[in-house]
Amino acid sequence: MITEVLENMEAYKQEFIEFMVDCNVLKFGEFTLKSGRKSPFFMNAGAYVTGSQLKRLGEYYAKAIHDKYGDDFDVLFGPAYKGITISVVTAIAYSELYGKEIRYCSDRKEEKDHGADKGSFLGSKLADGDRVVMIEDVTTSGKSMEETVPKVRGAADVEIVGLMVSLDRMEVGKGGEKCALEEVKDLYGFPTNAIVTMEEVVEHLYNREYKGKVVIDDAMKTAIDAYYQQYGAK
């Protein structure tokens, strides 16, 4: 799977892979995931911390969403907490890149019971007929979608156009066979996509010097292949 040659990878995808490395968002080494799996790579969207980084992050999401879903949608929904920032910067980028005003909406971990904006959501209210794109950093198990999809669909008669994450880890989800993005697609009935997949990351970085360093050398490639031998989606 990981060794397949990928041709004609879009320029923004190649840039995004390097951007994740530059921002220390995508790291390679030895990491213990929340699931307990020992992984040779780790992605932490919380490492995007500067104004320029967040601006670029929004632009990459906007380009990927426009590429996969077009612009026939009204709302970007980002689950708390990381999804809040991502949905905001992507809405800004969408306006700047494509001249379309997209509203943002996020859920609250705890419902607010006072003030003019009380309730379960931040940002725009969801209305009947809204077309919504869900937006996240990464989906490993699909757990966040279990919590947020019912909230979104329960708030109004909306159509969920699809889900966009930054990285598809391409490993089995809770079902043990398909990747988490495929499981979400099957469970909720809307398309799921990522800006890049780990296959594309490996193809772009393997044995290639970037800023004076080979990020994925033979040893790291062997570790990644072994990880996917055990946890890769079928």
Side-chain angles (χ1 to χ4, degrees):
M1 175 182 62
I2 286 295
T3 56
E4 293 180 2
V5 176
L6 302 175
E7 298 180 351
N8 301 321
M9 191 190 306
E10 293 91 335
Y12 76 84
K13 290 190 173 191
Q14 299 178 43
E15 292 172 6
F16 183 66
I17 292 167
E18 296 171 0
F19 175 61
M20 286 193 291
V21 173
D22 287 341
C23 295
N24 240 4
V25 166
L26 182 60
K27 298 181 179 182
F28 296 89
E30 295 181 5
F31 307 93
T32 300
L33 305 180
K34 190 176 182 180
S35 62
R37 296 174 184 173
K38 305 291 186 181
S39 174
F41 59 91
F42 183 72
M43 199 210 86
N44 173 28
Y48 297 118
V49 293
T50 71
S52 62
Q53 288 173 350
L54 291 167
K55 182 178 186 295
R56 288 185 64 189
L57 177 65
E59 290 170 350
Y60 288 124
Y61 266 98
K63 289 176 181 178
I65 290 170
H66 190 267
D67 185 30
K68 294 297 184 181
Y69 303 128
D71 60 6
D72 185 18
F73 67 98
D74 311 290
V75 181
L76 286 168
F77 185 92
Y81 287 104
K82 290 177 183 176
I84 298 173
T85 301
I86 297 171
S87 61
V88 170
V89 297
T90 304
I92 294 170
Y94 217 93
S95 174
E96 292 181 344
L97 290 176
Y98 304 110
K100 182 177 175 67
E101 293 290 8
I102 301 295
R103 292 142 48 209
Y104 100 91
C105 181
S106 297
D107 60 330
R108 299 179 191 269
K109 290 292 187 181
E110 296 180 357
E111 185 166 341
K112 185 178 179 183
D113 60 2
H114 62 279
D117 62 339
K118 66 181 180 180
S120 302
F121 298 98
L122 291 167
S124 171
K125 292 184 181 297
L126 295 172
D128 291 349
D130 276 345
R131 289 169 55 80
V132 180
V133 171
M134 308 288 282
I135 191 167
E136 269 200 308
D137 55 346
V138 64
T139 296
T140 302
S141 68
K143 181 174 174 55
S144 63
M145 288 295 103
E146 287 181 14
E147 299 171 352
T148 55
V149 169
K151 285 184 181 180
V152 170
R153 287 178 168 166
D157 183 15
V158 304
E159 176 187 351
I160 298 179
V161 174
L163 167 68
M164 182 63 69
V165 302
S166 58
L167 176 68
D168 180 359
R169 289 183 59 97
M170 301 179 68
E171 61 193 78
V172 291
K174 294 189 300 181
E177 292 189 1
K178 297 179 179 180
C179 72
L181 285 179
E182 283 295 315
E183 289 182 350
V184 169
K185 177 182 177 181
D186 291 346
L187 184 59
Y188 298 110
F190 53 75
T192 57
N193 284 284
I195 301 177
V196 294
T197 67
M198 270 306 297
E199 186 176 21
E200 291 169 328
V201 169
V202 173
E203 171 63 25
H204 187 60
L205 294 177
Y206 175 50
N207 270 350
R208 174 175 172 269
E209 187 172 300
Y210 177 63
K211 293 189 175 179
K213 179 181 178 183
V214 176
V215 180
I216 300 180
D217 56 15
D218 288 335
M220 180 53 62
K221 175 69 159 51
T222 299
I224 293 172
D225 287 346
Y227 183 78
Y228 279 105
Q229 187 69 31
Q230 184 172 6
Y231 297 117
K234 297 177 182 178

